[in-house]
Amino acid sequence: MGFVITPYASALAIASAVSLVVMVLGWQRHASPGGKAFGALMAAVVWWTLCAALEAAAIDMALKIFISKIEYVGTVCTAPLFLLFALRSRARERHLKAGLLGPMWFVPFATLVAVATNDWHRLFWTGFTPSPVAGSNLVVYGHGP
């Protein structure tokens, strides 16, 4: 289990650090409309970019795939949290009903289940091959239906 610092991994690590600063600054304004949703959105982005940086830096294929799976926690949470931020930042939409919030998490949850169980059905990723770019430790993911 090793990591190598590449320009791609470095760029993703910088993006993660910038997102972390934005998350902290946003969370300091959690009392404003949409503030908590924005903080949660940025936490998901930090998770996504940090895991992407680790995935890009990982050398072992199995480690890359594992990190990619946990990366999806941030990836699938970003869109619903962005919608929640947009709705909550409007003054009259601050108190959304739980009945409206539950269904928006169905697709992200189903995606996480598909990613976690991909070894059994190969519907999400069909295969993994090393990148053809010389000197690169990236992986090309074959996507399923």
Side-chain angles (χ1 to χ4, degrees):
M1 175 166 61
F3 294 91
V4 62
I5 304 302
T6 63
Y8 184 60
S10 298
L12 287 165
I14 290 168
S16 184
V18 169
S19 299
L20 180 64
V21 169
V22 172
M23 180 192 81
V24 169
L25 292 173
W27 190 254
Q28 289 174 348
R29 292 158 181 83
H30 68 275
S32 40
K36 290 180 184 174
F38 182 75
L41 167 64
M42 290 311 299
V45 171
V46 168
W47 182 265
W48 184 1
T49 54
L50 181 62
C51 288
L54 290 172
E55 178 190 358
I59 296 171
D60 183 49
M61 179 87 71
L63 180 60
K64 282 182 171 296
I65 294 166
F66 173 74
I67 294 171
S68 184
K69 286 180 179 182
I70 63 171
E71 177 183 338
Y72 265 84
V73 172
T75 306
V76 301
C77 288
T78 301
L81 288 171
F82 185 79
L83 175 63
L84 188 62
F85 164 65
L87 293 173
R88 289 218 168 138
S89 60
R90 295 183 51 148
R92 65 175 187 248
E93 303 290 342
R94 288 180 77 178
H95 302 289
L96 298 171
K97 302 212 181 323
L100 298 173
L101 297 177
M104 79 176 184
W105 291 102
F106 177 75
V107 171
F109 180 74
T111 303
L112 284 178
V113 170
V115 166
T117 60
N118 186 69
D119 295 339
W120 299 332
H121 52 70
R122 302 279 184 217
L123 291 173
F124 207 82
W125 297 308
T126 57
F128 312 94
T129 56
S131 174
V133 178
S136 169
N137 71 331
L138 300 177
V139 173
V140 177
Y141 291 77
H143 292 279

